[in-house]
Amino acid sequence: MDNKDLANLIFPNVKGYEYYEKKYPARDLPEGAIVTRFAPSPTGFVHIGSLFQALVAWKVAKQTKGVFFLRVEDTDQKREVENGVSGIVNSLNDFGIIPTEGMTDENNEIGEYGPYKQSLRKDIYQSYAKKLIEEGKAYPCFCTPEILDEIRSNQEKAKERTGYYGKWTRCRNMPMDMAAEKIKNGEAYIIRLKSPGNPDRKIKHKDIIKGNIDFPENDQDIVIIKSDGLPTYHFAHAVDDHLMGTTTVIRADEWVASVPLHLQLFYMLGFKAPKYAHISPIMKMDGESKRKLSKRKDPEAAVSYYKEEGIPKQSVIEYLINIANSNFEIWRKQNPDKSIDEFTLELNKMGVSGALFDMVKLLDVSKTVISKYTAEEVYTAALEWAKEYDSELAKMLSDKEYSLKVLGIERGNVKPRKDIAKWSDIKNIIYYMYDDKFDKNGEFEYQKITDKDEIEQIVNIYFEKYYNENDDKQTWFNKIKDLAEEMGYAREVKEYKANPEAYKGHVGDISTVLRVKLTGRHNTPDLYEIMQVIGKERLLKRI
Ligand code: GLU
């Protein structure tokens, strides 16, 4: 019995690896094109950190006219969830991240380098495992969990590194006849790599994000094929990223420690290794200390949160690009109207330590994003959100013509309103524009002028003597100044400041009274526009 016989005994029916090498030829792409992927396990939950990785990968592929594909890593079938793939595809779609290749829903895919679901690639992995066995680079291992426990406890007693390596292995040097005998007898086994590594030697690695890292060589005889015939993550990574032509592996930095093993696998399989870019996790301040954004503790860790809150996808994308490359913020200031496609994201400018997730900042970015929307765009998006999440708002928006006027206040000008960060804010921002939501007898806070008679006088005189719905803005404002003067207030703030004793207050105090009386708020967008939209008849009912 030689290596070849053993390999045939273990994998009698698989296709030769040469078949796959031919089936998946090198990609014909322009120089510098990045081929990369998003490779989640379908566990039913998409973390904002995963979306961040997917976004970065998608963006650099797009920028370089490369390929971004979606590969589903479902070899750990215990962790799988029903409709997990569609959940991922839909989450990506929600943010406009559309893979060039890969899974498109639970069971469908596009592209020439598939299947893009690992559980459908069993034969492929096995044919490469067979090659390794034939070459004496992998072997069947029959160690039971009990034996592995025993090895571990011996290592602990001897104060040595734990794991399956070197002198501690039991099956590495098993005579081939004996191994064949056990297989024929139906004993359970897995396939392990016969690692040629020596941890006293160092390998140098240059990560695109993390920079130079030296690692000891890997000497662990890691499992490549499990007892269910499926590969481990490590083995599937090497085989898939080779056959799919990945040039750059962009993934979470929890994998950085596996780089020596992965480089060894590529080498032993005779593959060219890809470049690696390991992304640090997204962090959050918790009191004084930083920690990872947690699926359990932080609702904003789930991508579904953003949709539920009505934060536009564009805002989330802008914010994530912002934390990926800090120079984006300046670029955005200089190019407020350019599409994000025109910004070049650079992997090597990403932070080595985890970016801090700041919801206040995200909402701020979102306010700017929404400030550039037309009233029609705000209306459409808010209504779509409201139909799913807030029936009261949906009802308010049912009068489209009026709602467009409301949403159009201070919009489309040089300094547009910036008070909306998410669709779930809107109801509270515009309710006073709707008579059935505005309570004219509410407890309003009048700010500076609080005397009831004074307030009543201001409002009455204004509507009796000055108000004319056909006034343009300048006339309207001059009249408020006239009213101020009549009531003993300064026409201009600076006049008041120069001589405060001479006045009861200034024009701003007067307009605040009108604002609060008519809206219940002392902080609103432009009062002139608000009054125009509400109109005379309804304004008079409010006083
Ligand atoms: N399935 C792995 C994970 O979800 C993928 C890592 C990779 O991108 O290679 O962590």
Side-chain angles (χ1 to χ4, degrees):
M1 164 102 13
D2 63 9
N3 288 332
K4 233 184 162 88
D5 300 329
L6 185 62
N8 272 328
L9 177 67
I10 296 175
F11 297 120
N13 300 318
V14 300
K15 288 195 183 69
Y17 74 92
E18 300 90 344
Y19 168 83
Y20 292 111
E21 292 293 322
K22 232 191 239 120
K23 179 167 178 196
Y24 306 108
R27 292 169 184 274
D28 184 16
L29 290 169
E31 172 98 23
I34 290 179
V35 179
T36 188
R37 75 293 191 284
F38 179 47
S41 301
T43 56
F45 180 88
V46 183
H47 191 284
I48 187 80
S50 305
L51 181 73
F52 183 52
Q53 279 169 40
L55 169 67
V56 167
W58 170 75
K59 180 90 175 90
V60 295
K62 201 167 167 206
Q63 274 168 201
T64 57
K65 304 205 167 23
V67 176
F68 167 68
F69 63 87
L70 174 63
R71 178 171 73 224
V72 170
E73 307 216 321
D74 60 343
T75 58
D76 185 357
Q77 301 199 315
K78 288 191 291 287
R79 292 175 61 207
E80 237 182 286
V81 153
E82 217 184 316
N83 297 326
V85 180
S86 322
I88 292 164
V89 171
N90 294 341
S91 293
L92 293 182
N93 281 352
D94 282 345
F95 291 91
I97 301 176
I98 317 283
T100 347
E101 273 177 26
M103 300 304 294
T104 54
D105 63 31
E106 224 46 52
N107 297 306
N108 294 295
E109 60 177 36
I110 44 170
E112 302 289 307
Y113 290 80
Y116 295 89
K117 201 191 220 181
Q118 289 184 329
S119 55
L120 302 176
R121 301 172 63 80
K122 204 167 176 172
D123 189 83
I124 302 179
Y125 304 119
Q126 294 189 348
S127 76
Y128 283 91
K130 184 172 184 179
K131 172 182 195 278
L132 290 182
I133 298 171
E134 280 171 3
E135 294 169 356
K137 295 174 183 166
Y139 61 91
C141 169
F142 303 88
C143 289
T144 59
E146 292 72 34
I147 295 180
L148 295 176
D149 278 349
E150 188 189 314
I151 295 175
R152 166 180 288 270
S153 90
N154 290 342
Q155 287 167 331
E156 280 165 359
K157 264 183 239 148
K159 298 206 165 25
E160 294 208 29
R161 267 187 308 130
T162 56
Y164 204 86
Y165 62 93
K167 65 178 184 196
W168 299 97
T169 60
R170 302 261 174 111
C171 301
R172 176 175 217 186
N173 299 315
M174 182 182 288
M176 262 173 266
D177 289 331
M178 188 171 163
E181 200 54 37
K182 283 175 177 282
I183 292 169
K184 284 181 196 147
N185 286 339
E187 268 189 54
Y189 63 94
I190 53 171
I191 308 294
R192 284 186 188 274
L193 183 75
K194 193 182 271 183
S195 172
N198 173 355
D200 294 334
R201 288 195 302 249
K202 288 259 181 328
I203 57 159
K204 283 192 187 308
H205 170 65
K206 185 165 183 191
D207 189 273
I208 302 176
I209 297 174
K210 307 251 170 207
N212 290 322
I213 318 175
D214 285 355
F215 295 100
E217 280 181 12
N218 171 64
D219 67 341
Q220 299 275 347
D221 284 0
I222 59 120
V223 181
I224 57 172
I225 301 284
K226 301 179 288 181
S227 55
D228 58 5
L230 285 170
T232 52
Y233 165 72
H234 308 295
F235 193 59
H237 155 50
V239 170
D240 290 348
D241 282 315
H242 162 68
L243 291 177
M244 295 177 179
T246 304
T247 61
T248 311
V249 170
I250 299 172
R251 63 182 178 188
D253 75 351
E254 65 188 276
W255 296 111
V256 101
S258 306
V259 164
L261 165 62
H262 295 164
L263 293 176
Q264 187 176 60
L265 276 168
F266 276 88
Y267 172 75
M268 290 177 76
L269 285 159
F271 302 157
K272 179 173 186 276
K275 292 188 180 128
Y276 287 94
H278 285 96
I279 298 190
S280 310
I282 294 185
M283 310 294 281
K284 166 171 182 154
M285 280 321 273
D286 191 351
E288 293 291 288
S289 52
K290 271 193 195 176
R291 63 166 171 78
K292 282 191 205 173
L293 208 55
S294 134
K295 168 176 168 179
R296 224 166 14 87
K297 293 190 210 153
D298 308 310
E300 72 272 29
V303 294
S304 51
Y305 171 85
Y306 302 86
K307 193 173 178 198
E308 285 157 18
E309 285 289 301
I311 302 177
K313 65 179 182 198
Q314 198 193 340
S315 308
V316 178
I317 297 289
E318 291 252 335
Y319 177 68
L320 292 179
I321 297 270
N322 209 320
I323 60 175
N325 273 184
S326 54
N327 54 316
F328 175 73
E329 198 165 358
I330 301 165
W331 181 88
R332 183 40 98 208
K333 279 211 182 93
Q334 291 166 346
N335 304 283
D337 300 317
K338 279 196 180 158
S339 148
I340 216 150
D341 288 345
E342 292 186 51
F343 175 75
T344 307
L345 187 86
E346 286 171 86
L347 289 173
N348 58 7
K349 283 198 181 140
M350 291 184 69
V352 173
S353 62
L356 206 53
F357 190 84
D358 178 354
M359 196 44 124
V360 175
K361 180 83 198 261
L362 193 163
L363 294 178
D364 220 49
V365 167
S366 192
K367 283 179 181 168
T368 305
V369 166
I370 294 177
S371 75
K372 292 180 193 149
Y373 281 29
T374 62
E376 182 85 36
E377 284 166 337
V378 174
Y379 179 80
T380 308
L383 182 62
E384 190 185 308
W385 177 83
K387 278 185 182 156
E388 196 165 347
Y389 300 102
D390 187 344
S391 53
E392 194 184 356
L393 177 64
K395 218 169 130 218
M396 283 162 75
L397 296 177
S398 60
D399 182 347
K400 179 169 178 183
E401 203 187 325
Y402 179 69
S403 299
L404 282 178
K405 283 188 198 154
V406 170
L407 297 169
I409 292 173
E410 271 193 45
R411 192 170 289 284
N413 47 8
V414 201
K415 270 197 103 193
R417 67 190 291 179
K418 272 197 181 177
D419 52 348
I420 305 172
K422 44 188 189 322
W423 311 131
S424 53
D425 288 346
I426 286 198
K427 192 163 73 186
N428 202 29
I429 290 176
I430 63 170
Y431 75 91
Y432 57 77
M433 298 301 290
Y434 295 81
D435 293 338
D436 56 334
K437 304 279 178 250
F438 174 77
D439 174 11
K440 66 175 183 180
N441 301 316
E443 280 291 319
F444 298 158
E445 253 187 72
Y446 274 92
Q447 304 289 65
K448 182 124 175 247
I449 303 173
T450 50
D451 183 79
K452 278 212 170 79
D453 294 339
E454 180 88 350
I455 292 171
E456 205 167 313
Q457 243 191 323
I458 291 170
V459 173
N460 288 341
I461 296 179
Y462 175 72
F463 277 97
E464 277 159 22
K465 193 165 163 189
Y466 294 103
Y467 172 70
N468 179 341
E469 62 179 327
N470 300 318
D471 285 344
D472 62 17
K473 188 163 178 185
Q474 199 49 52
T475 314
W476 170 85
F477 194 42
N478 284 337
K479 286 184 172 179
I480 292 182
K481 288 181 180 178
D482 294 344
L483 170 65
E485 193 173 338
E486 177 173 344
M487 298 290 300
Y489 295 75
R491 294 181 70 92
E492 308 287 343
V493 178
K494 58 175 190 285
E495 281 171 15
Y496 171 75
K497 283 197 174 144
N499 199 0
E501 277 80 48
Y503 303 101
K504 290 202 261 177
H506 58 72
V507 61
D509 305 328
I510 297 290
S511 56
T512 298
V513 165
L514 293 173
R515 188 186 305 276
V516 176
K517 184 77 193 175
L518 298 173
T519 68
R521 295 275 180 101
H522 49 79
N523 203 344
T524 71
D526 188 70
L527 184 59
Y528 172 76
E529 287 191 55
I530 289 176
M531 289 172 64
Q532 289 286 311
V533 172
I534 297 179
K536 180 170 180 180
E537 196 188 335
R538 289 172 48 217
L539 285 175
L540 292 178
K541 280 193 196 137
R542 290 187 174 203
I543 57 172

